[in-house]
Amino acid sequence: MGSTVRLFLDHDLHQGQLVALSRDHAHYLFGVMRLGVGATVEIFNGRDGAWSATVVEAGKKKGALRCDVSTRPQQNPPDVWLMFAPIKKARTDFIVEKATEMGASRILPVQTDFTNSERIRQDRLQAHAIEAAEQCGGTYVPPVEDLQKLTSVLDGWPKDRHMMFCDEVAVGQGLDLPKAGEKWAILIGPEGGFSPKERDRLLSMDLAQAVSLGPRILRADTAVVAALTVWQQQNGDWA
Ligand code: SAH
């Protein structure tokens, strides 16, 4: 990535486009990173790929960039959602950061029977996803949804979306993911695992498949990274 500063902003991007900076971005570029007029940064908006841009105005609380040349095309991840039960704050932050780096298309925190946390800060988690995309050279930022009940998500489950249901109870059943379908979701449970009721319901879903991640019980944050690795290797955009 070199040392080029990368910024995600919600602004249309095309050649010659002037982009006004928010106060936070101006503070970051000119106060923290000490850039000035003429400096080059890379910007992306999640739709128009990445662009090299030049600082044309640098103030304490505002500033502007000019979009010069496209540096990489828009690259969206495969259509795989990550569903997970929020755990302690630092580990939840880690999950969102790693899921973004690993190429999840959408992040859904779900409240399960044994979920330890009742609340999340959706805005903070979304900011973590943005930071991770800036840092990893991506052009896509997965939307992070607000906390929903797992039962409600399953009630409205799309008819065409497969689910890789990661369950330590599936150990010994091997790892055999069908290469079926384009649309997927990965489900990781909380520290206490899934309740028998949840497990019964998930196992009864035609589109859900229980998958083992090996003979050791992984922490939820480790399981997220392992599951996305396995899925990407089999179905994803790593080829
Ligand atoms: N119920 C367990 C801990 C759950 S670990 C206990 O208390 O003993 C948290 C989540 O990580 C699980 O719900 C599951 O989704 C995933 N996970 C951890 N280890 C796993 C494994 N070996 N195989 C599949 N999923 C695993």
Side-chain angles (χ1 to χ4, degrees):
M1 237 17 60
S3 55
T4 308
V5 173
R6 302 188 80 240
L7 278 190
F8 170 83
L9 16 86
D10 189 16
H11 200 296
D12 283 343
L13 301 177
H14 49 83
Q15 195 153 16
Q17 174 75 46
L18 282 182
V19 178
L21 292 168
S22 67
R23 194 184 163 125
D24 284 353
H25 278 155
H27 172 72
Y28 174 68
L29 290 183
F30 314 131
V32 180
M33 300 308 290
R34 305 257 155 217
L35 300 182
V37 169
T40 301
V41 299
E42 189 173 65
I43 56 181
F44 63 107
N45 61 7
R47 310 184 292 272
D48 298 325
W51 290 77
S52 175
T54 304
V55 176
V56 291
E57 186 198 335
K60 265 202 154 52
K61 296 173 182 169
K62 60 188 191 122
L65 305 174
R66 187 193 58 235
C67 211
D68 295 326
V69 283
S70 162
T71 44
R72 65 187 86 193
Q74 180 62 34
Q75 189 177 18
N76 296 330
D79 189 356
V80 59
W81 299 351
L82 173 72
M83 304 199 289
F84 74 100
I87 41 178
K88 288 196 200 81
K89 185 173 154 297
R91 289 183 186 273
T92 299
D93 291 351
F94 177 95
I95 286 175
V96 169
E97 179 182 298
K98 298 311 159 203
T100 304
E101 290 175 33
M102 298 290 300
S105 63
R106 187 174 176 223
I107 299 176
L108 294 91
V110 290
Q111 200 173 359
T112 64
D113 289 345
F114 301 153
T115 298
N116 326 55
S117 104
E118 305 269 293
R119 220 167 289 129
I120 55 156
R121 283 278 310 273
Q122 186 276 338
D123 57 335
R124 273 200 47 239
L125 293 180
Q126 186 67 71
H128 275 291
I130 290 173
E131 217 174 284
E134 288 172 342
Q135 189 272 328
C136 76
T139 49
Y140 178 85
V141 176
V144 182
E145 308 298 339
D146 220 332
L147 188 63
Q148 304 170 69
K149 287 200 161 67
L150 176 64
T151 48
S152 323
V153 176
L154 297 183
D155 287 346
W157 193 254
K159 303 257 175 296
D160 56 352
R161 188 167 294 274
H162 296 260
M163 188 198 297
M164 174 172 159
F165 158 44
C166 297
D167 190 14
E168 62 280 3
V169 172
V171 167
Q173 294 175 19
L175 182 74
D176 129 62
L177 267 191
K179 271 197 163 240
E182 308 253 287
K183 299 183 183 178
W184 278 87
I186 291 171
L187 173 62
I188 304 289
E191 279 160 27
F194 293 99
S195 70
K197 202 168 135 203
E198 287 169 336
R199 186 169 285 119
D200 285 350
R201 175 158 188 197
L202 287 159
L203 291 175
S204 76
M205 289 172 61
D206 282 345
L207 288 163
Q209 185 178 344
V211 166
S212 156
L213 298 171
R216 289 157 294 267
I217 293 184
L218 308 176
R219 298 189 81 128
D221 48 348
T222 314
V224 164
V225 178
L228 276 160
T229 305
V230 160
W231 188 90
Q232 283 281 26
Q233 205 274 329
Q234 176 114 348
N235 292 303
D237 61 5
W238 290 12

Coordinates of all heavy atoms in Angstrom, one line a residue, residues 39-116:
A39 N -0.5 17.7 -2.2 CA -0.2 16.3 -1.7 C -1.2 15.4 -2.5 O -2.3 15.8 -2.9 CB -0.4 16.2 -0.2
T40 N -0.8 14.1 -2.6 CA -1.7 13.1 -3.2 C -2.2 12.2 -2.2 O -1.5 11.7 -1.3 CB -0.8 12.3 -4.3 OG1 -0.3 13.2 -5.2 CG2 -1.7 11.3 -5.0
V41 N -3.5 11.9 -2.4 CA -4.2 10.9 -1.5 C -5.0 9.9 -2.4 O -5.2 10.3 -3.6 CB -5.1 11.5 -0.5 CG1 -4.3 12.4 0.5 CG2 -6.2 12.2 -1.1
E42 N -5.4 8.8 -1.9 CA -6.2 7.9 -2.7 C -7.6 7.9 -2.0 O -7.7 7.8 -0.8 CB -5.7 6.5 -2.8 CG -6.5 5.6 -3.7 CD -5.9 4.2 -4.0 OE1 -5.9 3.4 -3.0 OE2 -5.5 4.0 -5.1
I43 N -8.6 8.1 -2.9 CA -10.0 8.2 -2.3 C -10.9 7.1 -3.0 O -10.7 6.7 -4.1 CB -10.6 9.6 -2.4 CG1 -10.6 10.1 -3.9 CG2 -9.9 10.6 -1.6 CD1 -11.2 11.5 -4.1
F44 N -11.9 6.7 -2.3 CA -12.9 5.8 -2.8 C -14.2 6.0 -2.1 O -14.3 6.5 -1.0 CB -12.4 4.3 -2.7 CG -12.2 3.8 -1.3 CD1 -13.1 2.9 -0.8 CD2 -11.1 4.2 -0.6 CE1 -12.9 2.4 0.5 CE2 -11.0 3.7 0.7 CZ -11.9 2.8 1.2
N45 N -15.3 5.6 -2.8 CA -16.6 5.8 -2.2 C -17.4 4.5 -2.1 O -18.6 4.5 -1.8 CB -17.4 6.8 -3.0 CG -17.6 6.4 -4.5 OD1 -17.3 5.3 -4.8 ND2 -18.2 7.4 -5.2
G46 N -16.8 3.4 -2.5 CA -17.5 2.1 -2.4 C -18.3 1.8 -3.7 O -18.9 0.7 -3.8
R47 N -18.2 2.7 -4.7 CA -19.0 2.5 -5.9 C -18.1 2.7 -7.2 O -18.3 2.1 -8.2 CB -20.2 3.5 -6.0 CG -21.0 3.6 -4.8 CD -22.2 4.6 -5.1 NE -21.8 6.0 -5.2 CZ -21.7 6.8 -4.2 NH1 -21.9 6.4 -2.9 NH2 -21.3 8.1 -4.4
D48 N -17.3 3.7 -7.1 CA -16.6 4.2 -8.3 C -15.1 3.8 -8.4 O -14.3 4.5 -9.1 CB -16.7 5.7 -8.4 CG -18.2 6.2 -8.5 OD1 -19.0 5.5 -9.2 OD2 -18.5 7.3 -8.0
G49 N -14.7 2.8 -7.7 CA -13.3 2.4 -7.6 C -12.5 3.4 -6.8 O -13.0 4.2 -6.1
A50 N -11.1 3.3 -7.0 CA -10.3 4.2 -6.2 C -9.7 5.2 -7.2 O -9.4 4.9 -8.4 CB -9.2 3.4 -5.5
W51 N -9.4 6.4 -6.7 CA -8.9 7.5 -7.5 C -7.8 8.1 -6.7 O -7.8 8.3 -5.5 CB -10.0 8.5 -7.7 CG -11.1 8.0 -8.6 CD1 -12.1 7.2 -8.3 CD2 -11.3 8.4 -9.9 NE1 -12.9 7.0 -9.4 CE2 -12.4 7.7 -10.4 CE3 -10.6 9.2 -10.8 CZ2 -12.9 7.8 -11.7 CZ3 -11.0 9.3 -12.1 CH2 -12.2 8.6 -12.6
S52 N -6.8 8.6 -7.5 CA -5.7 9.4 -7.0 C -6.3 10.8 -7.0 O -6.9 11.3 -8.0 CB -4.5 9.3 -7.9 OG -3.5 10.2 -7.5
A53 N -6.1 11.5 -5.9 CA -6.6 12.9 -5.8 C -5.6 13.8 -5.2 O -4.7 13.4 -4.5 CB -7.9 12.9 -4.9
T54 N -5.7 15.1 -5.6 CA -4.7 16.1 -5.2 C -5.4 17.1 -4.2 O -6.5 17.5 -4.5 CB -4.1 16.9 -6.4 OG1 -3.6 15.9 -7.3 CG2 -3.1 17.9 -6.0
V55 N -4.7 17.4 -3.2 CA -5.2 18.4 -2.2 C -5.1 19.8 -2.9 O -4.1 20.2 -3.4 CB -4.4 18.5 -0.9 CG1 -4.8 19.6 0.0 CG2 -4.4 17.1 -0.2
V56 N -6.3 20.5 -3.0 CA -6.3 21.8 -3.7 C -6.6 22.9 -2.7 O -6.4 24.1 -2.9 CB -7.3 21.9 -4.9 CG1 -6.8 21.0 -6.0 CG2 -8.7 21.4 -4.5
E57 N -7.1 22.5 -1.5 CA -7.3 23.5 -0.5 C -7.1 22.8 0.9 O -7.7 21.7 1.1 CB -8.8 24.0 -0.6 CG -9.1 25.1 0.4 CD -10.6 25.3 0.6 OE1 -11.4 24.9 -0.3 OE2 -11.0 25.8 1.7
A58 N -6.4 23.4 1.8 CA -6.1 22.7 3.0 C -6.3 23.7 4.2 O -5.5 24.6 4.4 CB -4.6 22.2 3.0
G59 N -7.4 23.6 4.9 CA -7.7 24.5 6.0 C -7.7 23.7 7.3 O -7.5 22.5 7.3
K60 N -7.9 24.4 8.4 CA -7.9 23.7 9.7 C -9.2 22.8 9.8 O -9.2 21.7 10.3 CB -7.9 24.7 10.8 CG -6.6 25.0 11.4 CD -6.7 25.5 12.8 CE -5.4 25.3 13.6 NZ -4.2 25.7 13.0
K61 N -10.3 23.4 9.3 CA -11.6 22.7 9.5 C -12.2 22.3 8.1 O -13.3 21.7 8.1 CB -12.5 23.5 10.3 CG -12.0 23.8 11.7 CD -12.9 24.8 12.4 CE -12.3 25.0 13.8 NZ -13.0 26.1 14.4
K62 N -11.6 22.7 7.0 CA -12.2 22.3 5.7 C -11.1 22.1 4.7 O -9.9 22.4 5.0 CB -13.2 23.3 5.3 CG -12.7 24.7 5.1 CD -13.8 25.6 4.8 CE -13.3 27.0 4.4 NZ -13.7 27.4 3.1
G63 N -11.4 21.7 3.6 CA -10.4 21.5 2.5 C -11.1 20.9 1.3 O -12.3 20.6 1.3
A64 N -10.3 20.7 0.2 CA -10.9 20.1 -1.0 C -9.8 19.3 -1.7 O -8.6 19.6 -1.6 CB -11.5 21.2 -1.9
L65 N -10.3 18.3 -2.4 CA -9.5 17.5 -3.2 C -10.0 17.5 -4.6 O -11.1 17.8 -4.9 CB -9.6 16.0 -2.7 CG -9.3 15.7 -1.3 CD1 -9.6 14.2 -1.0 CD2 -7.9 16.0 -0.9
R66 N -9.1 17.3 -5.6 CA -9.5 17.1 -7.0 C -9.1 15.7 -7.4 O -8.0 15.2 -7.2 CB -8.7 18.1 -7.8 CG -9.2 18.2 -9.3 CD -8.3 18.9 -10.2 NE -7.0 18.3 -10.2 CZ -5.9 19.0 -9.9 NH1 -5.9 20.3 -9.7 NH2 -4.7 18.4 -9.9
C67 N -10.1 15.1 -7.9 CA -10.0 13.7 -8.4 C -9.3 13.7 -9.7 O -9.7 14.3 -10.7 CB -11.5 13.2 -8.6 SG -11.8 11.6 -8.3
D68 N -8.1 13.0 -9.8 CA -7.3 13.1 -11.0 C -7.4 11.8 -11.9 O -8.0 11.9 -13.0 CB -5.8 13.2 -10.6 CG -5.5 14.6 -9.9 OD1 -6.2 15.5 -10.3 OD2 -4.7 14.6 -9.0
V69 N -6.9 10.7 -11.4 CA -7.0 9.5 -12.3 C -7.5 8.3 -11.5 O -7.2 8.2 -10.3 CB -5.6 9.1 -12.9 CG1 -5.3 10.0 -14.1 CG2 -4.5 9.1 -11.9
S70 N -8.2 7.4 -12.2 CA -8.6 6.2 -11.6 C -7.4 5.3 -11.3 O -6.6 5.1 -12.2 CB -9.6 5.5 -12.5 OG -9.8 4.2 -12.2
T71 N -7.3 4.8 -10.1 CA -6.1 4.0 -9.7 C -6.5 2.5 -9.7 O -5.6 1.6 -9.8 CB -5.5 4.4 -8.4 OG1 -6.5 4.6 -7.5 CG2 -4.7 5.7 -8.6
R72 N -7.8 2.2 -9.4 CA -8.2 0.8 -9.5 C -9.7 0.7 -9.7 O -10.4 1.6 -9.2 CB -7.7 -0.1 -8.3 CG -8.3 0.3 -7.0 CD -7.6 -0.4 -5.8 NE -6.4 0.2 -5.4 CZ -5.5 -0.3 -4.6 NH1 -5.7 -1.5 -4.2 NH2 -4.5 0.4 -4.2
P73 N -10.1 -0.3 -10.4 CA -11.6 -0.4 -10.6 C -12.3 -0.8 -9.4 O -11.7 -1.3 -8.4 CB -11.7 -1.5 -11.7 CG -10.5 -2.3 -11.5 CD -9.4 -1.4 -11.0
Q74 N -13.6 -0.5 -9.3 CA -14.4 -1.0 -8.2 C -14.3 -2.5 -8.1 O -14.5 -3.2 -9.1 CB -15.9 -0.5 -8.4 CG -16.8 -1.0 -7.3 CD -16.4 -0.4 -6.0 OE1 -15.9 0.8 -5.9 NE2 -16.6 -1.1 -4.9
Q75 N -14.0 -3.0 -6.9 CA -14.1 -4.5 -6.8 C -14.9 -4.8 -5.6 O -14.5 -4.6 -4.4 CB -12.6 -5.0 -6.6 CG -12.7 -6.5 -6.7 CD -11.3 -7.2 -6.6 OE1 -10.3 -6.6 -6.2 NE2 -11.2 -8.4 -7.0
N76 N -16.1 -5.4 -5.8 CA -16.9 -5.8 -4.8 C -16.6 -7.2 -4.3 O -16.2 -8.0 -5.2 CB -18.4 -5.7 -5.2 CG -18.8 -4.3 -5.5 OD1 -18.3 -3.4 -4.9 ND2 -19.7 -4.1 -6.4
P77 N -16.8 -7.5 -3.1 CA -16.5 -8.9 -2.6 C -17.6 -9.8 -3.1 O -18.6 -9.4 -3.6 CB -16.5 -8.8 -1.1 CG -17.4 -7.7 -0.8 CD -17.3 -6.7 -2.0
P78 N -17.4 -11.2 -3.0 CA -18.5 -12.1 -3.3 C -19.6 -11.8 -2.4 O -19.4 -11.2 -1.3 CB -17.8 -13.5 -3.1 CG -16.6 -13.2 -2.4 CD -16.2 -11.8 -2.6
D79 N -20.8 -12.4 -2.7 CA -22.0 -12.1 -1.9 C -22.1 -13.0 -0.7 O -22.9 -13.9 -0.7 CB -23.2 -12.2 -2.9 CG -24.5 -11.7 -2.2 OD1 -24.4 -11.4 -1.0 OD2 -25.5 -11.7 -2.9
V80 N -21.2 -12.7 0.3 CA -21.3 -13.5 1.5 C -21.5 -12.6 2.7 O -20.7 -11.7 2.9 CB -20.0 -14.4 1.6 CG1 -18.7 -13.6 1.6 CG2 -20.1 -15.3 2.8
W81 N -22.5 -12.9 3.4 CA -22.8 -12.1 4.6 C -22.1 -12.7 5.8 O -22.0 -14.0 5.8 CB -24.3 -12.1 5.0 CG -25.2 -11.5 4.0 CD1 -24.9 -10.8 2.8 CD2 -26.6 -11.6 4.0 NE1 -26.0 -10.4 2.1 CE2 -27.1 -10.9 2.8 CE3 -27.6 -12.1 4.9 CZ2 -28.5 -10.7 2.6 CZ3 -28.9 -12.0 4.6 CH2 -29.4 -11.3 3.5
L82 N -21.7 -11.9 6.7 CA -21.2 -12.5 8.0 C -22.2 -12.2 9.1 O -22.5 -11.0 9.3 CB -19.8 -11.9 8.4 CG -19.5 -12.4 9.8 CD1 -19.1 -13.9 9.8 CD2 -18.4 -11.6 10.5
M83 N -22.8 -13.2 9.7 CA -23.7 -13.0 10.8 C -22.9 -13.5 12.1 O -22.4 -14.6 12.1 CB -24.9 -13.9 10.7 CG -25.6 -13.5 9.4 SD -27.3 -14.1 9.5 CE -27.1 -15.8 9.4
F84 N -22.9 -12.7 13.1 CA -22.2 -13.1 14.3 C -22.9 -12.6 15.5 O -23.6 -11.5 15.4 CB -20.7 -12.7 14.3 CG -20.6 -11.2 14.5 CD1 -20.2 -10.7 15.8 CD2 -20.8 -10.3 13.5 CE1 -20.1 -9.3 16.0 CE2 -20.7 -8.9 13.8 CZ -20.3 -8.4 15.0
A85 N -22.7 -13.2 16.7 CA -23.3 -12.7 17.9 C -22.3 -11.9 18.6 O -21.2 -12.3 18.9 CB -23.7 -13.9 18.8
P86 N -22.6 -10.6 18.9 CA -21.6 -9.7 19.4 C -21.1 -10.2 20.8 O -21.8 -10.8 21.6 CB -22.3 -8.4 19.7 CG -23.7 -8.5 19.1 CD -23.9 -9.9 18.6
I87 N -19.8 -10.0 21.0 CA -19.1 -10.4 22.2 C -18.6 -9.2 22.9 O -19.1 -8.1 22.7 CB -18.1 -11.5 21.9 CG1 -17.3 -11.2 20.7 CG2 -18.8 -12.9 21.8 CD1 -16.2 -12.2 20.3
K88 N -17.5 -9.3 23.6 CA -16.9 -8.1 24.3 C -16.5 -7.1 23.2 O -16.1 -7.4 22.1 CB -15.7 -8.5 25.1 CG -16.2 -9.2 26.4 CD -15.0 -9.3 27.4 CE -15.2 -10.3 28.4 NZ -14.7 -11.7 27.9
K89 N -16.5 -5.8 23.6 CA -16.3 -4.7 22.7 C -15.1 -4.9 21.8 O -15.2 -4.8 20.6 CB -16.2 -3.4 23.5 CG -16.1 -2.2 22.6 CD -16.2 -1.0 23.6 CE -15.5 0.2 23.0 NZ -14.1 0.1 22.8
A90 N -13.9 -5.1 22.4 CA -12.7 -5.2 21.6 C -12.7 -6.4 20.6 O -12.3 -6.3 19.5 CB -11.5 -5.3 22.5
R91 N -13.3 -7.5 21.0 CA -13.4 -8.6 20.1 C -14.5 -8.4 19.0 O -14.3 -8.9 17.9 CB -13.7 -9.9 20.9 CG -12.6 -10.4 21.8 CD -12.9 -11.7 22.5 NE -11.8 -12.0 23.4 CZ -10.7 -12.6 23.0 NH1 -10.5 -13.1 21.8 NH2 -9.7 -12.8 23.9
T92 N -15.5 -7.7 19.3 CA -16.5 -7.4 18.3 C -15.9 -6.4 17.3 O -16.1 -6.6 16.1 CB -17.7 -6.7 19.0 OG1 -18.3 -7.7 19.9 CG2 -18.8 -6.4 18.0
D93 N -15.1 -5.4 17.8 CA -14.4 -4.5 16.8 C -13.5 -5.4 15.9 O -13.4 -5.1 14.7 CB -13.6 -3.5 17.6 CG -14.4 -2.5 18.4 OD1 -15.6 -2.5 18.2 OD2 -13.8 -1.8 19.2
F94 N -12.8 -6.3 16.5 CA -11.9 -7.1 15.8 C -12.6 -7.9 14.7 O -12.2 -8.0 13.5 CB -11.2 -8.1 16.7 CG -10.3 -9.1 16.1 CD1 -8.9 -8.9 16.0 CD2 -10.7 -10.3 15.6 CE1 -8.0 -9.8 15.5 CE2 -9.9 -11.3 15.1 CZ -8.5 -11.0 15.0
I95 N -13.8 -8.4 15.0 CA -14.6 -9.2 14.1 C -15.0 -8.4 12.9 O -14.9 -8.8 11.7 CB -15.9 -9.8 14.8 CG1 -15.4 -11.0 15.7 CG2 -16.9 -10.2 13.7 CD1 -16.6 -11.6 16.5
V96 N -15.4 -7.1 13.1 CA -15.8 -6.3 12.0 C -14.6 -5.9 11.1 O -14.7 -5.9 9.9 CB -16.5 -5.0 12.6 CG1 -16.7 -4.0 11.5 CG2 -17.9 -5.4 13.2
E97 N -13.5 -5.6 11.8 CA -12.3 -5.3 11.0 C -11.9 -6.5 10.2 O -11.6 -6.3 9.0 CB -11.2 -4.9 12.0 CG -9.9 -4.6 11.4 CD -8.8 -4.3 12.5 OE1 -9.0 -3.3 13.3 OE2 -7.8 -5.0 12.6
K98 N -11.8 -7.7 10.8 CA -11.3 -8.8 10.0 C -12.3 -9.2 8.9 O -11.9 -9.6 7.8 CB -11.0 -10.0 10.9 CG -10.0 -9.8 12.0 CD -8.7 -9.2 11.4 CE -7.9 -8.5 12.4 NZ -6.9 -7.5 11.9
A99 N -13.6 -9.1 9.2 CA -14.6 -9.5 8.2 C -14.5 -8.6 7.0 O -14.6 -9.0 5.8 CB -16.0 -9.5 8.8
T100 N -14.2 -7.3 7.2 CA -14.0 -6.4 6.1 C -12.7 -6.8 5.3 O -12.8 -6.8 4.1 CB -13.9 -4.9 6.7 OG1 -15.0 -4.7 7.4 CG2 -13.7 -3.9 5.5
E101 N -11.7 -7.0 6.0 CA -10.4 -7.4 5.3 C -10.6 -8.7 4.5 O -10.1 -8.8 3.4 CB -9.3 -7.6 6.3 CG -8.8 -6.4 6.9 CD -7.7 -6.7 8.0 OE1 -7.0 -7.7 7.8 OE2 -7.7 -6.0 9.0
M102 N -11.4 -9.6 5.1 CA -11.5 -10.9 4.4 C -12.5 -10.9 3.3 O -12.7 -11.9 2.6 CB -12.0 -12.0 5.5 CG -11.0 -12.2 6.6 SD -9.5 -13.1 6.2 CE -10.2 -14.6 5.6
G103 N -13.3 -9.8 3.1 CA -14.2 -9.7 2.0 C -15.6 -10.2 2.3 O -16.2 -10.9 1.4
A104 N -16.2 -9.8 3.4 CA -17.6 -10.1 3.6 C -18.3 -8.9 3.0 O -17.9 -7.8 2.9 CB -17.9 -10.1 5.1
S105 N -19.5 -9.3 2.4 CA -20.3 -8.2 1.7 C -21.2 -7.4 2.6 O -21.7 -6.3 2.2 CB -21.1 -8.8 0.5 OG -22.0 -9.7 1.0
R106 N -21.6 -8.0 3.7 CA -22.5 -7.4 4.6 C -22.3 -8.0 6.0 O -22.0 -9.2 6.1 CB -23.9 -7.7 4.1 CG -25.0 -7.0 4.8 CD -26.4 -7.2 4.1 NE -27.4 -6.6 4.9 CZ -28.6 -7.2 5.1 NH1 -28.9 -8.4 4.7 NH2 -29.5 -6.6 5.8
I107 N -22.4 -7.2 7.0 CA -22.1 -7.7 8.4 C -23.3 -7.5 9.2 O -23.9 -6.4 9.3 CB -20.9 -6.9 9.0 CG1 -19.6 -7.2 8.1 CG2 -20.6 -7.4 10.4 CD1 -18.4 -6.4 8.5
L108 N -23.8 -8.6 9.7 CA -25.1 -8.6 10.5 C -24.9 -9.1 11.9 O -24.8 -10.3 12.1 CB -26.2 -9.5 9.9 CG -26.7 -9.1 8.5 CD1 -25.9 -9.8 7.4 CD2 -28.1 -9.5 8.4
P109 N -24.8 -8.2 12.9 CA -24.7 -8.7 14.3 C -26.1 -9.2 14.7 O -27.1 -8.6 14.4 CB -24.5 -7.4 15.1 CG -24.0 -6.4 14.1 CD -24.7 -6.7 12.8
V110 N -26.1 -10.4 15.2 CA -27.4 -11.0 15.6 C -27.4 -11.4 17.1 O -26.4 -11.8 17.7 CB -27.7 -12.3 14.8 CG1 -28.0 -11.9 13.3 CG2 -26.6 -13.3 14.8
Q111 N -28.6 -11.2 17.7 CA -28.8 -11.6 19.1 C -29.3 -13.0 19.2 O -30.4 -13.3 18.6 CB -29.8 -10.6 19.7 CG -29.7 -10.5 21.2 CD -30.5 -9.4 21.7 OE1 -31.2 -8.7 21.0 NE2 -30.6 -9.3 23.0
T112 N -28.6 -13.8 19.8 CA -29.0 -15.2 19.9 C -29.4 -15.5 21.4 O -29.2 -14.6 22.2 CB -27.8 -16.2 19.6 OG1 -26.7 -15.9 20.5 CG2 -27.3 -15.9 18.2
D113 N -29.8 -16.7 21.7 CA -30.3 -17.0 23.0 C -29.2 -16.8 24.0 O -29.4 -16.4 25.2 CB -30.8 -18.5 23.1 CG -32.1 -18.6 22.4 OD1 -32.7 -17.6 22.1 OD2 -32.5 -19.8 22.1
F114 N -27.9 -17.1 23.7 CA -26.8 -17.0 24.6 C -25.9 -15.8 24.3 O -24.7 -15.8 24.7 CB -26.0 -18.2 24.7 CG -26.8 -19.5 25.1 CD1 -26.3 -20.7 24.6 CD2 -27.9 -19.4 25.9 CE1 -27.1 -21.9 25.0 CE2 -28.6 -20.5 26.2 CZ -28.2 -21.8 25.8
T115 N -26.4 -14.8 23.6 CA -25.6 -13.6 23.3 C -25.4 -12.8 24.6 O -26.3 -12.5 25.4 CB -26.3 -12.7 22.3 OG1 -26.4 -13.4 21.1 CG2 -25.5 -11.4 22.0
N116 N -24.1 -12.5 24.9 CA -23.8 -11.8 26.1 C -24.2 -10.3 26.0 O -24.5 -9.7 27.0 CB -22.3 -11.8 26.3 CG -21.7 -13.2 25.9 OD1 -21.8 -13.5 24.7 ND2 -21.0 -13.9 26.8

